[in-house]
């Protein structure tokens, strides 16, 4: 049975990094007869330019009928003056919500070869392996009312609403506990329950759900402390579960612990493990079109796709091992470059992973 992948390259560096990921995945597809098929569609600014909307109906239909979605990134200065409703980022939020991708997994793993690329001391980050589980379809990014309006006195006010229902909290909590169970069995729930009633409920429900997972050690932390602890002693964490906005911010902090945002993949899953896979970084307009972006986060996202949607641990491991081997060969894109290494561009880094894959499968 064929396994359909919708490929949405998007904007900025999106097409450059996705093209490398597809080369790697296509090779493995042939080598392991995975039965993957690829269909390409526009999203974000590129879709707006072509169709006047960041999420054309045909793109959404393709995603709905696919088994998994591979996304590059969306956005860029060109589209910033647009109304919010048609900004590139709305296309991405639209896919997440239309597909019900509520559980966003963001692993932060420090590859030993990159210990010097982190701005933190090696003893603080070496061996780092944590997972942030971010709620993705609720909270302040979706809550109503929202918008900017004028008061009677003519002053403008901006409003967004942080709202979570009990069922939304319950399902992301289950997702996080299950992942913690497969790892070191420690879950830290991050909230701001001392100030925000919405997250007081969050804490209460996560605690309740925790009764179903007595083998997982549950702790709670306020988000300001969590931000501090992530840079002070990040190895205390195994799995972190948190709200949409807190997860957005904390996972960028976690990204820097690993040396570069260009190394971090992510998975966004629905209740049946259908998922969208994308690097956690954006479209990097400052380096777009230069062929210097790091494709490894996108390549590693395809490994997550094989693991979580297609349940193929062996294929996922092969990609991760090939990334490891490419780093062992001392090639580095600019974002993870350190002295003594060989600086390469996007396609050379992709080729290094591909060559490592080929070497693995050679008799
Ligand atoms: P960004 O992640 O695009 O870039 C932040 C910094 O990291 C930049 O200096 C960039 O050059 C660097 N960087 C990012 N990815 C890299 C890679 N693979 N290799 C090397 N360096 C890399 O964030 P930003 O600058 O805040 O946002 C740029 C645009 O991307 C905005 O329009 C924003 O809305 C959008 N964005 C999209 C997504 C997404 O598509 N999921 C996520 C975040 C931001």
């Amino acid at each position: 049975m064929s396994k359909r992948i919708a490929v949405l390259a998007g904007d900025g560096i999106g097409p450059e990094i996705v093209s490398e990921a597809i080369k790697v995945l296509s090779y493995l597809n042939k080598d392991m007869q995975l039965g993957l098929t690829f269909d390409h569609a526009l999203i974000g600014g590129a879709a707006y330019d072509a169709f006047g909307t960041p999420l054309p109906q045909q793109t959404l239909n393709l995603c709905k009928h696919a088994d998994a979605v591979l996304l590059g990134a969306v956005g860029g200065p060109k589209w910033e003056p647009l109304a919010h409703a048609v900004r590139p980022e709305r296309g991405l939020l639209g896919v997440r919500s239309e597909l019900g991708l509520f559980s966003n997994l963001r692993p932060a793993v420090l590859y030993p070869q990159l210990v010097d690329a982190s701005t933190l001391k090696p003893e603080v980050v070496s061996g780092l392996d944590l997972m942030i589980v971010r709620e993705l379809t609720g909270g302040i990014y979706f809550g109503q009312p929202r918008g900017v309006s004028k008061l009677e006195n003519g002053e403008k006010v901006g409003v967004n609403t942080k709202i979570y229902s009990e069922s939304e909290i319950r399902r992301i909590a289950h997702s996080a506990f299950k992942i913690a169970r497969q790892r070191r069995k420690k879950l830290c729930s991050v909230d701001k329950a001392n100030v925000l009633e919405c997250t007081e409920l969050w804490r209460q429900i996560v605690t309740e759900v925790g009764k179903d997972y007595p083998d997982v050690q549950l702790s709670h932390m306020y988000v300001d402390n969590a931000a501090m602890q992530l840079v002070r002693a990040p190895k205390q964490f195994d799995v972190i579960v948190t709200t949409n906005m807190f997860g957005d911010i904390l996972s960028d902090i976690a990204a820097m612990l690993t040396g570069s945002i260009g190394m971090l993949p992510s998975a966004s899953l629905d209740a049946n493990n259908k998922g969208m896979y994308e690097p956690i970084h954006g479209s990097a307009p400052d380096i777009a079109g230069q062929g210097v972006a790091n494709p490894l986060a996108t390549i590693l996202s395809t490994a997550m796709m094989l693991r979580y949607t297609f349940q193929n641990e062996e294929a996922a491991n092969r990609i991760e091992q090939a990334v490891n081997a490419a780093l062992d060969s001392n090639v580095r894109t600019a974002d993870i470059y350190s002295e003594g290494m060989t600086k390469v561009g996007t396609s050379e880094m992709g080729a290094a992973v591909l060559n490592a894959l080929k070497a693995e499968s050679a008799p």
Side-chain angles (χ1 to χ4, degrees), residues 13 73-76 89 92 261-262 278 281-287 293-294 335:
I13 61 170
V74 296
E89 294 75 8
L92 181 55
I261 199 165
E278 54 177 316
H281 58 72
S283 59
D286 52 335
I287 56 167
N294 185 347
D335 57 308

Side-chain angles (χ1 to χ4, degrees), residues 13 17 71-77 80 89 92 96 106 252 260-263 278-287 292-298 333 335:
I13 61 170
I17 52 178
L71 178 98
V74 296
E80 267 163 27
E89 294 75 8
L92 181 55
R96 288 174 181 166
R106 296 182 161 210
D252 270 25
S260 169
I261 199 165
M263 291 299 299
E278 54 177 316
I280 79 156
H281 58 72
S283 59
D286 52 335
I287 56 167
V292 296
N294 185 347
L296 294 182
T298 318
T333 42
D335 57 308

Side-chain angles (χ1 to χ4, degrees), residues 15-257:
E16 302 166 47
I17 52 178
V18 164
S19 142
E20 297 310 313
I22 293 292
K23 283 182 204 160
V24 169
L25 202 50
S26 299
Y27 173 77
L28 206 61
N29 191 23
K30 269 200 188 142
D31 195 53
M32 297 181 78
Q33 297 175 9
L34 300 174
L36 307 176
T37 60
F38 304 94
D39 291 300
H40 297 255
L42 295 178
I43 191 168
Y48 177 82
D49 288 349
F51 302 108
T53 163
L55 182 56
Q57 193 58 44
Q58 59 266 42
T59 299
L60 186 57
N61 288 345
L62 190 73
C63 294
K64 282 186 173 167
H65 291 108
D67 299 296
V69 180
L70 177 65
L71 178 98
V74 296
K78 179 181 174 192
W79 301 283
E80 267 163 27
L82 294 176
H84 268 277
V86 289
R87 287 237 187 116
E89 294 75 8
R90 300 305 297 179
L92 181 55
L93 295 181
V95 176
R96 288 174 181 166
S97 65
E98 287 285 329
L99 268 59
L101 306 175
F102 67 89
S103 178
N104 184 215
L105 316 187
R106 296 182 161 210
V109 174
L110 179 72
Y111 285 80
Q113 302 93 327
L114 299 185
V115 95
D116 292 332
S118 175
T119 47
L120 274 82
K121 291 182 188 142
E123 61 269 28
V124 175
V125 288
S126 64
L128 180 81
D129 177 5
L130 67 87
M131 174 79 88
I132 296 184
V133 180
R134 166 189 171 196
E135 199 291 325
L136 201 60
T137 52
I140 198 164
Y141 290 1
F142 292 93
Q144 296 288 346
R146 65 185 297 155
V148 176
S149 56
K150 255 190 194 170
L151 297 175
E152 275 175 13
N153 66 6
E155 191 183 7
K156 282 186 186 168
V157 287
V159 61
N160 288 94
T161 303
K162 186 172 176 100
I163 179 165
Y164 273 114
S165 68
E166 204 179 322
S167 57
E168 282 175 309
I169 303 168
R170 211 172 278 286
R171 68 180 181 177
I172 191 71
H174 277 292
S175 200
F177 275 109
K178 284 179 187 151
I179 285 161
R181 229 177 209 172
Q182 291 161 2
R183 294 174 47 101
R184 300 192 299 277
K185 299 187 173 51
K186 275 172 64 182
L187 178 64
C188 179
S189 173
V190 171
D191 59 40
K192 189 72 183 166
N194 51 341
V195 179
L196 302 173
E197 289 84 348
C198 175
T199 64
E200 205 179 325
L201 179 69
W202 175 280
R203 186 175 284 219
Q204 185 193 320
I205 302 295
V206 172
T207 306
E208 262 176 52
V209 172
K211 293 190 181 126
D212 293 347
Y213 302 85
D215 51 326
V216 177
Q217 183 197 327
L218 172 67
S219 61
H220 301 275
M221 199 178 273
Y222 297 137
V223 63
D224 39 355
N225 186 24
M228 184 177 78
Q229 295 300 332
L230 268 174
V231 285
R232 193 187 73 84
K235 284 186 274 183
Q236 69 184 282
F237 297 108
D238 176 17
V239 180
I240 290 174
V241 62
T242 190
T243 63
N244 203 342
M245 183 169 67
F246 294 164
D248 193 1
I249 298 165
L250 293 181
S251 57
D252 270 25
I253 299 179
M256 269 325 291
L257 304 175

